Amino acid sequence: MARSRTINIDLVLHALADPTRRAIVEKLSEGPLSVSQVAAPFDITLTAVVQHLQVLEESGLVHTEKIGRVRTCRLEAAGFSVLEQWIGDRRSVWERRLDRLGDLLAESGESE
């Protein structure tokens, strides 16, 4: 399900800055899990895991859904798409700069 709100790159980067949240993302990359399944391998309280999940959800990286008594978590493509676009934009800027540098170096090598 696509998010209707705009994903903020600052929220995505903040969410991924924490090693526990990155570990949660890794765990969810295997497929959807309940909150208790997400929490199982961590030596922190369930409340702390829920707080981490809230940060991930606010960033657009994770979506949680309550069905009956079980809250299920899964990765959300929207946050990753924003991150991929941001990285791609930075990469293309540097590739153009390096291409220009290569052209200048080739020109100066030809003039010697």
Side-chain angles (χ1 to χ4, degrees):
M1 171 186 307
R3 300 246 180 210
S4 59
R5 65 181 177 86
T6 302
I7 304 295
N8 182 326
I9 188 65
D10 293 336
L11 292 176
V12 174
L13 293 172
H14 169 72
L16 293 174
D18 184 274
T20 301
R21 289 193 287 268
R22 287 193 308 272
I24 290 171
V25 167
E26 284 293 322
K27 188 153 181 56
L28 289 173
S29 69
E30 299 168 8
L33 297 169
S34 69
V35 172
S36 58
Q37 289 171 315
V38 170
F42 298 102
D43 191 24
I44 58 177
T45 65
L46 186 60
T47 302
V49 170
V50 169
Q51 289 172 342
H52 283 299
L53 286 167
Q54 286 173 337
V55 171
L56 290 166
E57 191 164 20
E58 289 168 5
S59 73
L61 295 168
V62 168
H63 177 75
T64 64
E65 180 178 28
K66 188 168 185 178
I67 301 173
R69 297 177 66 184
V70 177
R71 181 164 295 280
T72 302
C73 311
R74 64 175 169 77
L75 292 182
E76 181 71 43
F80 291 101
S81 295
V82 168
L83 181 60
E84 182 180 26
Q85 180 65 48
W86 186 84
I87 291 170
D89 291 348
R90 305 296 78 61
R91 178 182 293 129
S92 66
V93 167
W94 278 102
E95 286 173 349
R96 285 193 306 272
R97 287 178 180 172
L98 290 172
D99 287 346
R100 285 194 303 254
L101 177 60
D103 292 344
L104 285 172
L105 291 174
E107 288 174 14
S108 69
E110 292 171 1
S111 65
E112 288 180 6

